[in-house]
Amino acid sequence: MKVTVIGAGYVGLSTGLVLASLGNKVYFVDVDKEKLESLKEGKPPFYEPHVEDLLKRTLKEKRVIFTTDYSEAIPLSDVVFICVGTPLRVSGEADTRQVMSAVRDISKHLGGKTVSIVIKSTVPVGTAREVEKQINKDHYGNFIVLSNPEFLREGHAIEDTFKPDRIVIGANDKKAIEHLIKLYDPIIKQTFKRVISDRLDREIPVVVTTNESAELIKYAANAFLATKISFINEIANIAENVGADITDVAFGIGLDPRIGNLFLKAGLGWGGSCFPKDLKALHQMVGNSGYLPGLLKAVIKVNDEQRFRFLQKIVKVFGDGLRNKKIAVLGIAFKAGTDDLRNSPGVEIVKQLVSLGAKISIYDPLALENARKTLPESVGLCDSIEKAVEKTDAIIITTEAQEFKTMNLEKLGKLVREKIIFDGRNIISNPKGWDYWGVGR
Ligand code: UGA
């Protein structure tokens, strides 16, 4: 099939590249010329496993085209995916202006054949209806609006696109639903040729529902996962007060299949480009409808406070003496396996420590380049753990990078000035000989 993807970010690029590698022709439309130029040369705009590989392969096969021009793509496409950003407005609502602007541009090029307009961006409930109204108002061509939320994780984007847990399709047109299912057929039936890893030996469930339910499924999924994390962080804070160990508590409750052991890691709380934005947007959306979402409010509050509780531990250990203390921060991305710094607890902690007069050196396996653009000039960027911790008064761990889990504390102990570790992700299992501060243990 011929497919257009509007927006070449994490979601758009992953979706488009996977569809291209399954044999479709994919037109990527984006407003960012510089990004498109570098994509044309096979260079992705962010770090994400397998993206560069798939990009180079599909460029060579001439299955992907990058353009700023809707007229080059829409008239040729049967399916158009909208994958643009929906950032937060100051009011806390999701800003759908990029979605609506893409829709206006798409509608100018709709012709005789019916085009499926598939919304993948995370949008407030009711957006698909708004999109429909907008195009009908403009009276341009035939189209069906489908909602097809995305559940991929950064750091696993391609893997999650090939092997999703489920595919959710919201629409009220049987033919358009069947058409989209056909496009996804190799993924649903797991019949694609092995590209990056093995196929699953089961079919992927497809949930067909209304646009509104599909839109809410996306928010509800992220809200539930964020709730699990805030819940375990609250229990971790209780564990600290009563002398229990949250790692054992999480293991003990996670064995109950009704609870499950995933997303029960206590630490600095959730960050990134999705949970913080989506939780606030859902909270605001529900609030606007007149219902007071007390649980969501608490989930957000626990998370907002979690990184500051951790910071307080550091301040308490050093008393008033943080000025001129040398501190190594290991991990600056919002989680391991990505170079994304958006809403990163590590960034916030570094900024606070700098404002308290500490001298910071950081190391992150992937995010140093982005760190330079975001962090104060005074922060030292180091290309190894060893360089970062040299002659420091404390080490702070903010992500679960594999390198941090396996670092040799005995060796590092000889490089530091003081053997103090603040472990924001509870990844150190044997801190013998170190003054150790975790979360909830
Ligand atoms: C999240 C969801 O997991 C995806 O399903 C969804 O598609 C995506 O948002 C989105 O809406 O686009 P992502 O933001 O990549 O994906 O990150 P996660 O791996 O979910 O982690 C989110 C945050 O929770 C990270 O800061 C992580 O460190 C934290 N976390 C995760 C914990 O603190 N504890 C845990 O047990 C798990």
Side-chain angles (χ1 to χ4, degrees):
M1 276 189 217
K2 289 202 172 95
V3 170
T4 292
V5 173
I6 317 283
Y10 281 95
V11 171
L13 212 50
S14 309
T15 306
L17 289 177
V18 167
L19 289 175
S21 73
L22 294 175
N24 301 287
K25 180 129 188 171
V26 179
Y27 296 84
F28 289 93
V29 182
D30 199 290
V31 287
D32 186 338
K33 281 191 189 138
E34 212 177 304
K35 189 202 273 183
L36 293 179
E37 283 315 311
S38 101
L39 282 165
K40 279 182 198 166
E41 286 166 23
K43 289 186 214 128
F46 45 75
Y47 168 81
E48 187 62 43
H50 312 296
V51 164
E52 190 167 346
D53 187 25
L54 282 194
L55 175 62
K56 289 198 165 128
R57 210 184 297 188
T58 49
L59 274 170
K60 206 166 141 205
E61 292 166 354
K62 298 200 176 5
R63 294 201 177 280
V64 289
I65 285 158
F66 296 95
T67 177
T68 52
D69 188 355
Y70 282 73
S71 71
E72 222 182 287
I74 307 297
L76 301 173
S77 300
D78 314 297
V79 180
V80 179
F81 287 96
I82 299 183
C83 304
V84 295
T86 49
L88 269 192
R89 284 175 186 262
V90 184
S91 61
E93 281 158 315
D95 185 344
T96 55
R97 277 179 295 183
Q98 290 180 48
V99 174
M100 296 319 268
S101 146
V103 165
R104 279 190 293 274
D105 283 328
I106 295 166
S107 63
K108 281 179 205 152
H109 301 286
L110 292 175
K113 67 173 177 183
T114 304
V115 174
S116 295
I117 299 178
V118 184
I119 305 178
K120 263 203 174 295
S121 304
T122 301
V123 291
V125 178
T127 302
R129 294 270 166 258
E130 286 292 311
V131 167
E132 223 167 70
K133 261 197 245 159
Q134 170 76 43
I135 310 181
N136 277 331
K137 203 172 84 197
D138 296 342
H139 289 300
Y140 293 115
N142 298 321
F143 67 94
I144 303 289
V145 180
L146 299 99
S147 307
N148 173 218
E150 183 49 61
F151 302 101
L152 62 79
R153 298 158 298 166
E154 285 184 27
H156 302 266
I158 297 295
E159 180 104 27
D160 286 352
T161 308
F162 272 116
K163 295 184 276 187
D165 298 317
R166 73 293 208 190
I167 290 175
V168 174
I169 302 175
N172 58 11
D173 184 284
K174 208 166 158 242
K175 236 167 113 188
I177 294 168
E178 277 165 9
H179 197 228
L180 190 57
I181 289 180
K182 198 166 155 215
L183 179 64
Y184 283 138
D185 188 72
I187 294 176
I188 295 168
K189 301 215 173 94
Q190 292 287 293
T191 51
F192 51 80
K193 244 181 35 222
R194 188 184 190 285
V195 185
I196 51 152
S197 62
D198 290 339
R199 299 182 296 237
L200 297 173
D201 55 9
R202 57 176 168 80
E203 279 202 14
I204 306 298
V206 179
V207 180
V208 176
T209 180
T210 60
N211 291 89
E212 287 77 9
S213 299
E215 288 166 336
L216 188 56
I217 284 171
K218 170 66 193 188
Y219 278 112
N222 274 1
F224 188 79
L225 292 171
T227 302
K228 271 189 113 174
I229 301 169
S230 281
F231 173 81
I232 204 66
N233 280 332
E234 179 136 302
I235 300 293
N237 300 336
I238 295 170
E240 277 178 16
N241 283 349
V242 299
D245 185 328
I246 193 62
T247 318
D248 293 345
V249 175
F251 182 66
I253 64 172
L255 287 170
D256 182 334
R258 292 170 303 172
I259 296 173
N261 61 5
L262 299 176
F263 273 64
L264 279 188
K265 288 197 191 120
L268 298 173
W270 31 272
S273 66
C274 305
F275 287 179
K277 167 176 81 72
D278 293 350
L279 267 282
K280 287 195 177 122
L282 178 61
H283 180 261
Q284 188 63 34
M285 183 174 80
V286 179
N288 289 350
S289 75
Y291 173 77
L292 208 67
L295 179 59
L296 291 180
K297 196 173 172 183
V299 167
I300 296 169
K301 186 166 181 278
V302 168
N303 195 64
D304 284 347
E305 288 172 3
Q306 194 65 7
R307 51 190 78 171
F308 290 104
R309 292 178 70 91
F310 189 70
L311 191 70
Q312 272 164 10
K313 275 186 201 162
I314 303 168
V315 172
K316 218 163 148 191
V317 166
F318 286 101
D320 289 335
L322 262 169
R323 181 154 295 280
N324 291 329
K325 286 281 178 224
K326 275 191 78 185
I327 297 181
V329 176
L330 302 184
I332 199 68
F334 82 92
K335 64 172 186 178
T338 177
D339 63 357
D340 194 342
L341 262 58
R342 286 175 287 178
N343 266 301
S344 162
V347 169
E348 211 154 321
I349 287 169
V350 165
K351 285 186 174 164
Q352 293 288 336
L353 289 174
V354 168
S355 74
L356 292 169
K359 293 203 172 346
I360 307 293
S361 52
I362 66 161
Y363 169 70
D364 187 293
L366 298 168
L368 287 178
E369 211 180 305
N370 285 345
R372 185 68 300 154
K373 298 174 207 153
T374 309
L375 296 178
E377 279 281 308
S378 65
V379 172
L381 305 185
C382 305
D383 58 12
S384 71
I385 299 176
E386 287 75 15
K387 283 186 195 156
V389 305
E390 219 181 317
K391 296 198 173 64
T392 49
D393 298 293
I395 297 175
I396 300 175
I397 299 169
T398 76
T399 71
E400 285 184 87
Q402 190 56 26
E403 275 183 68
F404 306 157
K405 288 185 189 168
T406 55
M407 59 193 182
N408 184 334
L409 286 184
E410 209 183 310
K411 224 169 99 192
L412 296 184
K414 297 192 177 108
L415 300 176
V416 298
R417 199 149 53 200
E418 296 284 343
K419 288 168 76 173
I420 306 177
I421 291 188
F422 296 95
D423 180 1
R425 296 290 171 185
N426 289 346
I427 57 172
I428 303 292
S429 49
N430 184 11
K432 219 174 122 209
W434 288 71
D435 191 359
Y436 175 85
W437 301 82
V439 178
R441 39 192 347 206

